Each structure stands twice: as structure tokens, then as C-alpha cells.
């Protein structure tokens, strides 16, 4: 008869039990790397849905920021403040499209033909002055530019383009804005218990940075769009309202938006003569000078101060992967990654300082 009782057999080491601390630590590291690889594969497979979810988070942060500002003057429950922000946004969009939508739609319909005509005129002018360009190459570039303009027309109706994607982003954003706490707790629950306070702090700072970044972008969009639209309207530039709207929308895309809106403005300006074209160049130079030297430093100081080269690289990568959706979300994503990396660096620094302090205390104790 065996001397081992059922209880002893039950507590015997199994094939997955690791008693050696070194082997256990190495196995833990291997599992972490395998998990990261699996997450990367999952992220590539589900890239587009994840971008839609992130777009909902960005839209939710925008609504959340408005609700927080409203809460400073209106002490009502959060859900009512979110509802008021959404009602104000819908009312503003309805007013805009009711009073200016038809005019902008007419201008947008005539815009591609005007741009193509101005490009053809510029090629003829260059040929008369001895500059010979490949007509096919110029025509292809014009068609690509007009394709981008047509996408911007979709931006006028909705920043993302595609009714289903826009609807999902809006719905997700509303859900996130109404009560973000359950989603934060759910993400924290998937982390080890000792990492949850770090995640809470990082998540809070990421949300704060994202809200300030979005409000800074909206502030710059409104200022630039109104300034350009009014300045062009005062001189009688054709399609002044459309150019102001496009310039304001493109302000959301740092580095890329300003040159595109400036080129379109100058092309339309020269359709009315040399003086009008020079006036449009002057408007662009003055507005961009004020934005670069006054508005951008103020916004960067109050929000996330991102390096222009990093922003441009992120825009190129995200635009190539996800089109205009990735281009629009590149800046917010980079800001959140920056905050997370800063928190990780700070935690690593704190741990190093604690280890050095503990080693110093041990050395002092041994000396005594």
C-alpha cells in the first residue's frame, strides 16, 4: 500500500509549477514578450476598428472638455452638461449649414474647375518664359490635388468621411463622455494590481493633455478660418467663404494644412488678376506669421508642446496607413504617447532612486 495520502498527491508539483525563482522570473519575461507580440499582431489585424475606437475617444474628450467647462458655471449632473454641449454643437452646425451651406456648396462645386484652370494658366505662363514642364505630369499632379480637394469637401460634411464611420465615432464619443469611469476601471482591471495607480495617474494626465490639445486646435481653427474668410471677403476674392472654411479645417493638421490652404488661396486669388493674387499672398503671409509667432506658442505652452518633425512624421505614417482618418488623429495619438512615455520614464527614475537609496542604507548599516 502506498504511504502517500490523497492530500499529499494533490499538493505534488505539476508540470506548470516552477519553484526556482530565476526560472520563474525568466518565464514571466518570456510570457510578457509573447503577450506583446500577440498584441502587435492583434493591433495590425484590427487596426481600422481600433482607429475608430480611438476617434471615439478623441471626440469623447472634446465633449468631456466642454462639459467640464460648463460645470464651472452650471452645477448640474454631468449627463445634463453633456447633453447641453451636444445640443449646442447640433444647433451650431444647423445654423451654419442653413445660412452658409448653400453658398459653400455652390463654391465647392465650382472650385475644382477653377483650380484646374489656374494650373493650366500657370503652365502656359511658364512655357512662355522658357520653363517647359511635362504636361502629363502636371495634369496628374492636378488630378491628385483635386482628389484631395474632393476629400476636403467630404471633410466639410464630416471630418472623417464615410457616414458609417462618422456615426460610430460620434456614438462611441457620446458613450465615453457620459461616464468615462467604467472604461477606465475596465482597462485598469486588466493590469497587475501594483500597476493600477500608475495607470490611473497616466490616464488622467493623458485625458487632460488631450482635452487641452483639442481646445487649442479648435481655437486656432476658428481664428484662422474667420480671419482668412473676412480678409478675402473684404477684397472681393471669389469663394472667400469656402477658402476660409477650408483654411480653418486644415489648421487641425499642423505642418501640412497651412501650405495646402495657402496654395489653394493663391490659385483662386490669381484668377481675379495679379493684384488679387498678390493680396492673397499677403493675407497668407500675415496670417501664418501671426499664427506661427503668436497663436502657436500660446497654444503649445498651454497644451502639449510637440516637436514639429515628430508631428509631421506621425502624420505621414498615419496618413499612409489610415488615410484622412489617420491624418486627423495623428496629433492626438502622438500627444497621448508622449504623456505615457513621460510617465514611464518618471516611474523608472523613481525606482532607480529608491534602489540607490536602499543600497545606500544597506551600506551604512553594514558599516555600523
Amino acid at each position: 500500500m502506498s504511504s502517500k495520502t490523497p492530500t499529499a498527491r494533490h499538493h505534488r508539483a505539476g508540470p506548470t509549477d516552477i519553484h526556482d525563482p530565476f526560472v520563474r522570473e525568466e518565464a514571466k519575461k518570456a510570457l510578457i514578450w509573447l503577450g506583446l507580440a500577440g498584441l502587435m499582431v492583434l493591433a495590425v489585424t484590427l487596426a481600422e476598428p481600433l482607429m475608430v475606437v480611438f476617434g471615439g475617444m478623441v471626440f469623447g474628450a472634446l465633449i468631456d472638455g466642454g462639459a467640464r467647462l460648463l460645470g464651472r458655471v452650471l452645477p448640474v449632473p454631468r449627463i445634463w452638461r453633456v447633453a447641453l454641449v451636444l445640443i449646442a454643437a447640433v444647433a451650431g452646425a444647423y445654423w451654419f449649414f442653413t445660412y452658409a451651406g448653400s453658398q459653400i456648396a455652390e463654391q465647392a462645386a465650382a472650385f475644382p474647375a477653377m483650380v484646374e484652370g489656374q494650373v493650366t494658366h500657370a503652365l502656359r505662363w511658364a512655357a512662355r518664359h522658357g520653363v517647359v514642364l511635362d504636361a502629363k505630369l502636371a495634369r496628374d499632379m492636378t488630378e491628385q490635388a483635386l482628389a484631395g480637394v474632393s476629400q476636403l469637401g467630404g471633410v466639410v460634411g464630416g471630418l472623417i468621411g464615410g457616414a458609417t464611420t462618422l456615426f460610430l465615432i460620434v456614438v462611441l464619443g457620446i458613450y465615453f463622455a457620459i461616464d468615462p469611469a467604467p472604461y477606465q476601471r475596465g482597462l485598469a482591471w486588466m493590469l497587475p494590481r501594483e500597476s493600477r495607480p500608475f495607470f490611473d495617474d497616466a490616464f488622467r494626465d493623458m485625458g487632460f493633455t488631450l482635452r487641452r490639445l483639442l481646445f487649442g486646435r479648435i481655437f486656432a481653427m476658428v481664428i484662422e478660418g474667420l480671419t482668412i474668410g473676412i480678409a478675402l471677403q473684404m477684397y472681393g476674392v471669389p469663394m472667400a467663404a469656402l477658402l476660409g472654411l477650408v483654411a480653418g479645417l486644415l489648421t487641425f493638421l499642423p505642418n501640412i494644412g497651412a501650405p495646402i490652404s495657402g496654395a489653394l488661396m493663391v490659385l483662386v486669388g490669381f484668377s481675379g488678376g495679379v493684384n488679387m493674387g498678390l493680396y492673397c499672398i499677403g493675407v497668407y503671409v500675415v496670417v501664418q506669421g501671426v499664427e506661427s509667432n503668436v497663436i502657436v506658442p500660446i497654444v503649445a505652452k498651454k497644451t502639449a508642446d510637440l516637436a514639429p518633425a515628430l508631428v509631421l512624421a506621425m502624420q505621414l505614417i498615419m496618413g499612409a496607413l489610415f488615410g484622412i482618418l489617420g491624418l486627423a488623429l495623428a496629433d492626438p495619438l502622438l500627444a497621448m504617447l508622449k504623456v505615457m512615455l513621460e510617465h514611464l520614464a518618471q516611474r523608472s527614475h523613481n525606482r532607480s532612486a529608491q534602489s540607490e537609496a536602499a543600497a545606500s542604507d544597506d551600506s551604512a548599516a553594514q558599516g555600523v
Side-chain angles (χ1 to χ4, degrees):
M1 181 181 293
S2 174
S3 60
K4 295 183 179 179
T5 63
T7 303
R9 288 195 300 269
H10 178 72
H11 287 289
R12 256 188 337 188
T16 59
D17 292 326
I18 302 175
H19 294 288
D20 189 334
F22 176 77
V23 176
R24 188 187 302 117
E25 186 66 23
E26 293 301 315
K28 183 179 178 181
K29 292 179 181 179
L31 288 175
I32 290 174
W33 282 109
L34 289 174
L36 288 175
L39 287 176
M40 291 179 65
V41 173
L42 187 64
V44 172
T45 306
L46 303 177
E48 293 186 4
L50 289 176
M51 287 302 298
V52 173
V53 173
F54 182 69
M57 292 175 59
V58 172
F59 184 68
L62 188 60
I63 302 174
D64 178 56
R68 288 172 182 266
L69 288 177
L70 197 59
R72 297 181 179 182
V73 296
L74 191 62
V76 296
R78 177 184 177 84
I79 189 170
W80 292 110
R81 287 183 274 125
V82 171
L84 289 174
V85 171
L86 292 173
I87 291 172
V90 172
Y94 175 79
W95 175 86
F96 176 80
F97 287 107
T98 299
Y99 289 94
S102 59
Q103 178 185 2
I104 292 177
E106 294 175 359
Q107 295 179 0
F111 192 60
M114 176 175 287
V115 172
E116 187 173 2
Q118 287 303 108
V119 171
T120 303
H121 179 73
L123 291 176
R124 291 174 180 172
W125 179 88
R128 286 197 303 268
H129 289 77
V131 179
V132 180
L133 298 176
D134 188 351
K136 184 178 183 302
L137 176 61
R139 186 168 55 253
D140 293 341
M141 293 176 62
T142 304
E143 291 176 355
Q144 292 178 4
L146 292 176
V149 172
S150 65
Q151 289 183 0
L152 293 177
V155 175
V156 175
L159 182 62
I160 307 305
T164 303
T165 301
L166 180 60
F167 175 76
L168 290 173
I169 288 176
V170 170
V171 171
L172 286 171
I174 293 173
Y175 278 125
F176 289 147
I178 289 175
D179 189 9
Y183 308 104
Q184 181 178 350
R185 289 196 302 267
L187 289 174
W189 177 79
M190 293 187 292
L191 298 174
R193 191 183 302 273
E194 63 274 9
S195 299
R196 293 175 188 176
F198 165 79
F199 171 79
D200 290 336
D201 292 339
F203 191 86
R204 190 181 305 110
D205 286 348
M206 290 166 68
F208 179 72
T209 301
L210 184 58
R211 289 192 300 271
R212 299 186 71 174
L213 175 68
L214 293 175
F215 274 102
R217 290 283 182 265
I218 291 176
F219 174 76
M221 289 169 64
V222 172
I223 295 298
E224 183 160 343
L226 287 177
T227 302
I228 290 178
I230 293 173
L232 297 182
Q233 190 71 43
M234 289 173 59
Y235 197 82
V237 178
M239 305 181 181
L242 177 63
L243 290 172
L245 179 62
V246 170
L249 290 173
L250 288 176
T251 306
F252 192 82
L253 307 176
N255 304 324
I256 297 177
I260 296 176
S261 62
L264 296 175
M265 186 194 315
V266 172
L267 283 174
V268 174
F270 276 104
S271 67
V274 176
N275 292 335
M276 184 178 290
L278 294 176
Y279 176 80
C280 290
I281 293 176
V283 170
Y284 174 76
V285 171
V286 171
V287 171
Q288 290 304 314
V290 172
E291 181 188 6
S292 301
N293 298 295
V294 179
I295 297 177
V296 171
I298 294 175
V299 171
K301 184 178 180 181
K302 298 294 183 181
T303 61
D305 190 7
L306 302 175
L310 287 178
V311 174
L312 181 58
M314 193 70 170
Q315 289 173 338
L316 293 175
I317 294 172
M318 296 292 290
L321 292 176
F322 306 107
I324 195 166
L325 174 60
L327 196 62
L329 298 178
D331 205 15
L333 181 59
L334 181 60
M336 296 183 71
L337 288 175
K338 178 185 176 184
V339 174
M340 178 57 72
L341 291 175
E342 288 175 347
H343 275 265
L344 289 172
Q346 184 63 40
R347 184 172 71 167
S348 177
H349 174 73
N350 293 339
R351 287 181 173 177
S352 298
Q354 291 175 359
S355 299
E356 292 177 359
S360 178
D361 293 340
D362 291 342
S363 299
Q366 291 176 2
V368 173

